[in-house]
Amino acid sequence: MTPQERIAQLRDEINFHLYRYHVLDSPVVSDAEYDLLYNELLALEQENPELVTPDSPTQRAGAEPLSAFTKVVHPAPILSLANAFNAEDLFAWRQRIGRYLPDPDMALDYVAEPKLDGLTVVLTYENGRFTQGATRGNGEVGEDITQNLRTITAVPQRIPVDPQSELPVPPYLVVRGEVFFPLDKFEQFNERQRQEEKQVYMNPRNAASGSLRQLDPKITAGRPLTLYCYDLVAWDGVDVPAKQWERLDYLRQLGFPVSSDSQYCDNIEAVASAYEQWKEKRNQINYEVDGVVVKINDRPLADSLGFVGKDPRGAVAMKFPAQEKTTKLLDVAVNVGRTGILAPAAVLEPVEIGGVVVRNATLHNYDEIARKDIRIGDTVIVKRAGDVIPYIVGPVADLRDGSERVVEPPTHCPVCGEPALRVPGEVAIYCDNPSCPEQLVRRVEYFVSRGAMDIDGFGTKTGVLLAEVGMVKDLADIYYLNRDDLLALEGFKDKKVDNLLNGLEASKNQSPVRFLTALGIRFVGSVVAGLLIDAFGSIDELAAADQERLEQIEGIGPGTAVSVTSWFADERHRALLEKFRAAGLKFAADKPEPAEAGSQSLAGLTFVITGTLPSLSRDDAKALIEANGGKVTGSVSKNTDYLLAGEKAGSKLSKAESLGVTVIDEAHLKGMIA
Ligand code: IVH
């Protein structure tokens, strides 16, 4: 085989595996097998640079930066949609279009699709190759973002993606879809941006649009963007199905990612009930949806109805009730956090948003208040989406009457009165007094919380009280509480004290990952703590590491490295750790039980690992499974036998549950081996 032939073969195979992984969520090779193919291709291309083409999977890492985007004229207008807000509006739409139908009362069927809140993209394929990708722009002319779209693994580089497919290669096909940020990835991504002191995005939509409109494709390549396609804009030389429902399937068969949440509806009442169901489930899915798009299934008929302005008559967007409302910003309170950050918090005139009364909202930091020019007394737009804390989108400056006041950053800690400090290059303002009583209360609250040491019987109120009466002066003091002293407190009867002391005793066995998380070191949440304990095995080894060593760990940025080393360098913290050690807390991770040589108790079983396990790191768990004959893959599919889940399991858990995959914990796994 010539290098050229092998390269072509590798590209097909790699594209197919990317598709299995990103689109079908059902990989057929392990990550290691995939890497082998990819590395072989990379090596061949390095030896034969003249054979590198822009659609090679190796180019997903991002080409050279552009100086500006060029304009692209769309082959057909990229239309928008008229809105409906309830069933009544929907029925009115059906009534209205009756006038343009051959028979106003004719039976129609529909497709109800999730209205994805992302960024519209227009993808052009010539002879099966992805040749151009553009933004919507004004609907007539968009911007050429081909280079950026190539970095998104869900965007097929060639169609049909499956080399074995019997579908003919379309000579010309233009597809419309929506690029978006999955919600779980968005939170992780923002957390990392925050840690690395880079731009934090307001919502997944802004993150998607900010990531796509980068002149440097390498930046886009680093973002976990994905895509769903839902329409054909133009085609030539192929027959495409006339029904929308079948068009979705056609797109799917070509290898485009298509939402599996779309529904076929036999009549308009079925559409109304699909909408009601969607309102319920919109907060349970891993992408942001702001409504349901209703399309007449018969596309030629729908298209024959024409437009009103830029809105086709043959489809309508049923929007969900607003998750945004306006209200008055009454005040900006200052909260003291456990790291001493003085955080602004909006005090709002209570407003009902999506069935919940909102009184407070986050304002992130003072720079953001200044940037958005939010003033006390302003009418502000408040957004509440899913389970995230409500936040202020911005002020409605037009409604000002001149009585509004500019928000001044605090000069002193509102609790202890010490001067506030601003670290150069950081947005946060701190109370730098380590014995600030409010900081201690917040640290205790965090230490005992579910995401950290998870101490039964130790609630926020107890923490606040113990700090206030002086029984807890530092974090480790909670392990030195005395039964009689506790009984002397108001409301502390035998049973309550027993529960508290038992909870504390049991928590001494918590994993070092939880312990490290609970210490509340800046930038060290449970994910980073997991990475650090994975790398060092114990808190003592971590304490001995220098900045350079920390930065070598994947996922640890310089900000985190500095924060960790300076925390451990502080003598007060060293003393605190010794106090914890003396109390009997666990500083080192358990080593996985060495598997019996040749044990095949997991032979033929496929596992996926997610979340933070109580004692095993993910690598250890993987090694343990493999040593016993099992297989570990990266994503949950119908072929997964078990999902091994720990704390903070995210989308993989919901995926497993929806597919009926058995979910087990670490103890269960160990039981299967024993
Ligand atoms: S169809 C004629 N389907 O919503 C076709 N649009 O308000 C018109 N959108 O700009 C679009 N999901 O960006 C369609 N399943 C879906 C959609 C969808 C999201 C967006 C699209 C459009 C906006 C319309």
Side-chain angles (χ1 to χ4, degrees), residues 78-83 113-121 136 176-178 229-231 244 262 290 293 295 299 312 315 317 319:
I78 302 302
L79 301 168
S80 144
L81 288 174
N83 290 332
E113 299 171 13
K115 184 169 178 328
L116 301 149
D117 201 9
L119 210 79
T120 295
V121 292
R136 174 171 188 268
R176 175 170 178 178
E178 204 83 359
C229 294
Y230 51 77
D231 204 12
Q244 174 66 9
S262 295
D290 62 347
V293 179
K295 300 177 182 173
R299 290 298 305 261
K319 300 288 279 279

Side-chain angles (χ1 to χ4, degrees), residues 304-494:
S304 74
L305 304 180
F307 322 95
V308 189
K310 285 195 171 176
D311 306 333
R313 288 203 180 85
V316 67
M318 287 193 83
K319 300 288 279 279
F320 292 132
Q323 310 225 64
E324 260 181 30
K325 285 260 178 86
T326 56
T327 187
K328 273 243 154 29
L329 177 63
L330 302 177
D331 197 7
V332 175
V334 184
N335 287 338
V336 185
R338 63 190 158 79
T339 55
I341 287 186
L342 301 178
V347 181
L348 303 169
E349 203 166 86
V351 58
E352 188 267 357
I353 312 178
V356 172
V357 178
V358 176
R359 295 188 163 79
N360 298 293
T362 48
L363 279 164
H364 300 287
N365 56 59
Y366 288 92
D367 280 7
E368 187 158 302
I369 298 179
R371 192 167 54 75
K372 291 185 176 169
D373 188 21
I374 298 172
R375 305 182 195 173
I376 296 170
D378 263 341
T379 299
V380 290
I381 301 167
V382 183
K383 179 160 181 173
R384 180 186 155 257
D387 290 333
V388 302
I389 305 168
Y391 62 87
I392 295 192
V393 178
V396 188
D398 286 347
L399 294 178
R400 284 182 182 150
D401 64 9
S403 68
E404 296 76 17
R405 283 182 293 125
V406 169
V407 180
E408 299 290 350
T411 54
H412 291 81
C413 171
V415 177
C416 70
E418 292 277 314
L421 178 96
R422 189 160 193 151
V423 181
E426 275 190 36
V427 288
I429 295 175
Y430 291 92
C431 161
D432 196 32
N433 171 12
S435 35
C436 171
E438 186 70 8
Q439 281 185 46
L440 177 62
V441 168
R442 298 276 90 90
R443 280 202 295 269
V444 172
E445 184 180 332
Y446 181 72
F447 189 89
V448 306
S449 68
R450 281 194 58 193
M453 292 298 270
D454 192 14
I455 304 183
D456 275 346
F458 203 140
T460 307
K461 270 202 207 141
T462 306
V464 173
L465 178 73
L466 296 176
E468 272 172 8
V469 300
M471 280 166 66
V472 169
K473 293 202 182 64
D474 66 41
L475 277 181
D477 276 343
I478 65 169
Y479 288 107
Y480 294 86
L481 292 167
N482 163 312
R483 196 181 153 80
D484 291 336
D485 291 347
L486 287 169
L487 283 169
L489 293 171
E490 205 181 306
F492 280 68
K493 303 241 160 56
D494 274 324

